[in-house]
Amino acid sequence: MKQQETIFDKIINKEIPAEVVYETETVLGFKDINPQAPIHVLFIPKTRIATINDIKDSQAELMGQLFLAARDYAKQIDEDENGFRVVMNCNQNGGQDVYHLHLHFLAGRQMKWPPG
Ligand code: 5GP
């Protein structure tokens, strides 16, 4: 089940709409449909990786590109100095719902710790 296509494949393939804010050859960033902060973007690899557990050693650079996307986007929207949070949920206890790995980018308000 985890290896199957998700809604994010449809977003990558433009089969369903999404508000894309960032795109490279390998990474897509789009606004979360149910934002948990004034700014809530999801950065995903265009290639499907179900969870953190499924990352291959050869995909280390791709994972780095997700963080570089967050860095560049924060600067682009002028939230880099204010600060932001990135989160990646893994499997059930981590609160993962969509089994296409994604980096949540949250900004525009004071974050709390610990997260729920
Ligand atoms: P997870 O719980 O797997 O870490 O996060 C999945 C995220 O995907 C949630 O924040 C949810 O709101 C978002 N999401 C689910 N379906 C869609 C969709 O069709 N479009 C967009 N833009 N976001 C979605």
Side-chain angles (χ1 to χ4, degrees):
M1 176 188 161
K2 277 190 198 166
Q3 302 310 321
Q4 282 173 6
E5 200 170 276
T6 74
I7 193 92
F8 290 175
D9 287 287
K10 291 193 165 50
I11 289 174
I12 292 165
N13 297 326
K14 317 281 184 214
E15 289 162 20
I16 64 164
E19 210 172 323
V20 172
V21 297
Y22 181 95
E23 183 162 16
T24 65
E25 224 174 274
T26 54
V27 173
L28 190 68
F30 54 92
K31 291 193 180 173
D32 195 293
I33 206 167
N34 183 22
Q36 301 301 312
I39 300 155
H40 187 174
V41 165
L42 302 172
F43 292 105
I44 66 172
K46 287 186 177 175
T47 182
R48 188 176 344 123
I49 302 168
T51 77
I52 292 176
N53 296 330
D54 301 296
I55 301 168
K56 297 187 175 79
D57 289 354
S58 61
Q59 291 171 319
E61 188 177 344
L62 178 58
M63 293 302 102
Q65 287 166 354
L66 293 178
F67 282 89
L68 295 179
R71 177 200 66 183
D72 290 348
Y73 183 64
K75 194 166 178 53
Q76 186 188 317
I77 61 168
D78 202 25
E79 291 289 347
D80 52 336
E81 292 303 326
N82 288 336
F84 56 90
R85 178 171 290 172
V86 290
V87 179
M88 195 177 281
N89 300 325
C90 182
N91 277 340
Q92 188 177 337
N93 278 1
Q96 184 172 6
D97 290 322
V98 179
Y99 283 90
H100 183 130
L101 173 152
H102 47 280
L103 190 67
H104 291 264
F105 176 99
L106 300 133
R109 68 168 168 82
Q110 179 63 56
M111 301 298 156
K112 298 190 177 83
W113 195 262

